[in-house]
Amino acid sequence: MKVPAQQMMELLEELAGFSAPGPGVSRLLYTPEWLQAQKFLQERMAGLGMEVRSDRVGNVYGRFTGSKPEEKVILTGSHIDTVLNGGKYDGAYGIAAAVTALHYLRQTFGQPVRTIEAVAFCEEEGSRFPLAYWGSGNVTGLYNGSEADSCADSAGVTIASAMAACGLAGGPEDCGSAAAADSAEGAIPLREDIGAFVELHIEQGIVLEQAGLEIGIVEAIAGQRRYSVKVAGSTNHAGTTPMGLRRDALAGATEMLLAMEQAAIAAGDPLVATCGKLKAAPGTPNVIPGEVLFTLDIRHSEAEALEHFCSVLLAAFEGIAAKRGLTLQFTATLATAPAPMDTGLNQQLEHITRQQGKSFRRMVSGAGHDAQLFAPICPTAMIFVPSRAGISHSPEEYSSPDELAAGLNLLTAVLYELAYTES
């Protein structure tokens, strides 16, 4: 089957219009532009004949009910939020393709055997609040809802307050939900009705483009550890404090980060380690920094290797701190296990890709995705299409219409097999 891609491309452009001012697309969780985008999606899904609902945290679902509603749901989609000044494909592509695929299947083949559902998860990036996968995490059990009261953004606004501003703080009726099970008192009940989850996404890397391939079939998503690290020393005068008598928090932090880089290089692929944010206080040119806050993001596709690296690295940080007379505090902000994708679904994807005459490879995703949260609870698969120059999380993010259409056709074909065939 060849699915017309115009509807998907138009939907992508329309979603890109819901953005805060500035370069690229900025649609952070529970902001006005995020709320407008989710409401737009609900209206668009309803206009295409889907049954539409939204849960307590703002995940939006559009479905076509199957002739055998007692069988488990085939779910597809991605996340609606972006990073600050991001691109228009990350997350939104998987949603636009899901809506297009479901509409095409319904128009072409009628009612499915199994219910098919497109989802726009409210959040995945962790760009506004210091947690990620808030949308899919509330569905799969990573979160229980209590985090909303304690987790705050840089302005001190809690998730609970931001939800209330979007009309999501009350019972299910406040967010247009058709799911009476969404309790007004807290967590969303775990969904046990999902038979398979398939996520289509841009690669956000350069592997497919460099290899000249059209499709990536993800074998596993790397596990992640994220930490917030606080290094404390003594604030003092930059001109009057001898070098040997300093307790310079920034000098200690930089030694730690250099040690991290050296250890990551020695460990080799696929391990990666990054400090994405660093803040020194008091931040004055003639004052020795007495406190530094920085973040760590460490990833590997094998759980044992990831755990070992983190353990050894944090011990090395403690040694550096002790040597320099500094104190150290670690706060784990994210811990996700490596997530292998379903072997059977990947075989289906490979078979369809060959039938469609597309070039492909199996690969590991170094980036985290909603799919990794579904992998432990249902058969899960993930499809990649190339990203130009491997650029993502940037206004320069780009995948060509032909590349996006190839992913759409593969997604539609596998959804047909999962939702329309008897077996």
Side-chain angles (χ1 to χ4, degrees):
M1 66 182 68
K2 187 168 183 180
V3 185
Q6 183 178 355
Q7 179 184 9
M8 176 186 70
M9 298 304 297
E10 289 175 353
L11 186 51
L12 265 175
E13 291 298 326
E14 289 173 301
L15 286 172
F18 297 102
S19 172
V25 181
S26 296
R27 191 166 52 240
L28 306 188
L29 179 64
Y30 302 143
T31 58
E33 47 277 1
W34 173 94
L35 182 60
Q36 291 163 8
Q38 289 291 58
K39 288 182 175 179
F40 163 78
L41 273 175
Q42 292 181 69
E43 292 170 1
R44 178 57 55 87
M45 289 173 169
L48 295 174
M50 298 180 184
E51 303 168 43
V52 180
R53 67 183 180 90
S54 171
D55 63 26
R56 274 181 52 80
V57 296
N59 297 319
V60 168
Y61 304 88
R63 68 159 57 187
F64 290 117
T65 301
S67 60
K68 295 183 177 180
E70 70 277 6
E71 295 202 15
K72 291 192 173 184
V73 173
I74 307 304
L75 181 66
T76 183
S78 195
H79 59 96
I80 193 67
D81 68 312
T82 72
V83 298
L84 187 65
N85 301 328
K88 64 183 177 183
Y89 303 97
D90 179 4
Y93 168 50
I95 296 168
V99 171
T100 302
L102 264 62
H103 183 238
Y104 173 85
L105 289 170
R106 177 65 168 153
Q107 292 291 101
T108 306
F109 302 104
Q111 184 181 24
V113 175
R114 290 164 208 88
T115 297
I116 48 177
E117 195 167 76
V119 61
F121 290 118
C122 66
E123 193 272 348
E124 183 255 22
E125 297 287 5
S127 297
R128 181 178 178 185
F129 300 96
L131 49 68
Y133 314 110
W134 178 245
S136 56
N138 270 277
V139 175
T140 59
L142 178 64
Y143 303 116
N144 62 21
S146 64
E147 301 84 1
D149 292 321
S150 57
C151 187
D153 65 13
S154 59
V157 178
T158 64
I159 291 178
S161 296
M163 287 174 64
C166 291
L168 294 169
E173 65 278 4
D174 288 335
C175 48
S177 173
D182 286 1
S183 166
E185 296 180 357
I188 297 170
L190 302 189
R191 286 192 62 175
E192 298 178 350
D193 64 334
I194 300 172
F197 177 67
V198 184
E199 183 173 6
L200 175 61
H201 210 280
I202 59 170
E203 181 195 345
Q204 301 180 277
I206 202 169
V207 172
L208 292 175
E209 185 182 71
Q210 283 197 334
L213 300 173
E214 297 164 288
I215 295 292
I217 298 174
V218 177
E219 291 186 301
I221 299 173
Q224 295 184 51
R225 296 288 186 275
R226 291 187 191 177
Y227 300 91
S228 176
V229 183
K230 179 179 178 180
V231 183
S234 294
T235 301
N236 215 330
H237 197 293
T240 62
T241 309
M243 296 301 293
L245 299 179
R246 298 181 177 210
R247 294 173 59 228
D248 187 330
L250 182 56
T254 55
E255 184 179 353
M256 293 172 195
L257 294 177
L258 179 60
M260 178 188 74
E261 182 188 47
Q262 293 170 338
I265 292 170
D269 296 336
L271 185 132
V272 291
T274 306
C275 170
K277 185 177 181 179
L278 184 147
K279 183 179 180 180
T284 304
N286 61 345
V287 177
I288 299 165
E291 182 178 285
V292 172
L293 300 174
F294 65 88
T295 61
L296 296 177
D297 182 312
I298 303 167
R299 310 186 188 204
H300 200 291
S301 59
E302 296 176 11
E304 218 172 284
L306 177 62
E307 190 63 37
H308 176 74
F309 183 86
C310 291
S311 176
V312 171
L313 181 67
L314 297 185
F317 281 9
E318 288 173 343
I320 293 168
K323 176 186 69 176
R324 289 177 167 269
L326 305 171
T327 61
L328 200 57
Q329 180 180 330
F330 303 107
T331 303
T333 58
L334 179 69
T336 60
M341 299 292 98
D342 184 75
T343 302
L345 279 179
N346 276 355
Q347 289 173 345
Q348 280 182 273
L349 288 172
E350 186 170 330
H351 178 68
I352 295 168
T353 305
R354 292 184 191 277
Q355 284 184 321
Q356 294 181 341
K358 300 299 182 183
S359 57
F360 72 95
R361 64 169 289 167
R362 293 195 177 213
M363 59 192 300
V364 169
S365 172
H369 297 283
D370 292 304
Q372 72 193 71
L373 274 67
F374 284 88
I377 67 172
C378 69
T380 300
M382 187 154 200
I383 304 164
F384 280 166
V385 298
S387 296
R388 184 176 64 185
I391 296 172
S392 184
H393 286 183
S394 160
E396 301 302 313
E397 181 179 274
Y398 179 77
S399 296
S400 74
D402 286 346
E403 291 166 337
L404 298 172
L408 170 64
N409 277 284
L410 177 55
L411 175 68
T412 307
V414 76
L415 291 176
Y416 175 82
E417 289 194 1
L418 292 171
Y420 279 82
T421 58
E422 288 290 341
S423 60

